[in-house]
Amino acid sequence: MPVSPVVPHHIAIVMDGNGRWAKRRFLPRLAGHKQGVDSLRRCARACAERGVGVLTVFAFSSENWNRPADEVSGLMELLALALAREVPQLQKDGVRLYFVGERAGLSQKVRDGLAQAQAATAHNSRLVLNVCFNYGGRWDIAQAAAAVAARGEAITEASLHGAMALAHVPDPDLVIRTGGEMRISNFLLWQAAYSEFVFSDRLWPDFDEAALDEAIAAFNSRERRFGQTSEQILSAHHDPMPG
């Protein structure tokens, strides 16, 4: 009897390649980011349809502030517009939004938009969509350590884990990076300790349902050992039920 494929509960994606997608079409980089928003909408819907519980995406890293000022300001405006446009549909689709990252460097308009979007979707439960915005993995570990120390608690793996910006969801099973690059770029450094990685040559605006299914199929071809041996995993799967 064929084994049905396992759908990862939590998929995380580095959405790379918007600028290159635009450049190849002789368009401004911001046109690529706009197309990237459309791709994210499509991907979130596809994840919900396939039974994925959590989708975490890298939208804007703490290092992206070093990009040209017009691109950064354009991205901020795009975020504000996308929020206003997308939230009603996310509501209908049962998607709960979380914005994960440092808020201090953002304008009041953007911060208010993030808070309102989170509040509007707070009761949805079909899919959790974490948008990592002004986020960095090192920032996350540092802020967690600072929070634990401020409470006067011992810094342990468990206490740090509970103070991470993504403590509300389990760690990702699968991390996908589009755009042909093979690096983690300061994304989910703590949470991706035992994630499976898939690197796609597709630029993010071209990442469609078929590409998502390819990544899930690749995930299903892997043996997740979490530090154990293949024999231990096999033995655990075949042990008789206690009775």
Side-chain angles (χ1 to χ4, degrees):
M1 192 171 152
V3 179
S4 57
V6 175
V7 175
H9 177 70
H10 182 177
I11 295 177
I13 305 180
V14 180
M15 305 182 294
D16 196 15
N18 291 337
R20 281 174 286 158
W21 183 92
K23 191 176 179 182
R24 287 177 188 178
R25 288 158 179 78
F26 304 101
L27 297 168
R29 287 176 63 87
L30 206 57
H33 294 305
K34 286 178 181 172
Q35 197 69 30
V37 172
D38 293 340
S39 191
L40 175 55
R41 181 194 309 118
R42 193 170 65 221
C43 185
R45 184 169 295 141
C47 282
E49 288 169 355
R50 284 153 180 75
V52 175
V54 183
L55 174 63
T56 299
V57 297
F58 207 5
F60 189 89
S61 79
S62 38
E63 288 78 27
N64 285 157
W65 290 106
N66 299 323
R67 291 189 174 189
D70 58 341
E71 182 177 351
V72 172
S73 62
L75 272 170
M76 293 299 169
E77 287 303 310
L78 177 61
L79 175 74
L81 287 170
L83 286 175
R85 192 183 70 207
E86 300 295 335
V87 164
Q89 187 59 48
L90 291 172
Q91 273 277 46
K92 287 180 193 167
D93 292 343
V95 177
R96 181 171 187 174
L97 264 177
Y98 280 91
F99 290 94
V100 180
E102 176 63 73
R103 302 281 175 94
L106 305 178
S107 72
Q108 192 60 49
K109 176 185 175 185
V110 170
R111 274 187 283 177
D112 289 347
L114 300 184
Q116 286 163 14
Q118 278 198 181
T121 62
H123 299 294
N124 294 343
S125 58
R126 189 180 180 200
L127 175 75
V128 172
L129 175 57
N130 297 308
V131 179
C132 292
F133 191 82
N134 199 25
Y135 170 90
R138 290 177 175 177
W139 163 83
D140 196 4
I141 294 168
Q143 69 81 27
V148 172
R151 293 197 295 263
E153 296 176 17
I155 294 178
T156 64
E157 284 194 29
S159 64
L160 277 180
H161 197 78
M164 289 286 162
L166 282 161
H168 58 283
V169 292
D171 289 345
D173 303 292
L174 171 62
V175 177
I176 302 167
R177 181 172 184 141
T178 63
E181 305 288 358
M182 294 188 186
R183 56 178 175 269
I184 197 167
S185 293
N186 198 20
F187 183 50
L188 306 184
L189 297 182
W190 178 276
Q191 295 85 352
Y194 280 102
S195 303
E196 296 297 324
F197 281 76
V198 169
F199 297 99
S200 171
D201 287 332
R202 296 197 194 206
L203 302 177
W204 173 244
D206 295 327
F207 191 85
D208 57 12
E209 292 86 350
L212 177 67
D213 288 336
E214 284 171 22
I216 292 174
F219 171 83
N220 271 282
S221 73
R222 316 272 180 86
E223 180 185 63
R224 305 187 75 201
R225 294 194 296 272
F226 299 97
Q228 294 183 308
T229 66
S230 296
E231 290 75 17
Q232 285 176 298
I233 301 294
L234 205 60
S235 172
H237 285 170
H238 289 91
D239 278 347
M241 292 290 288

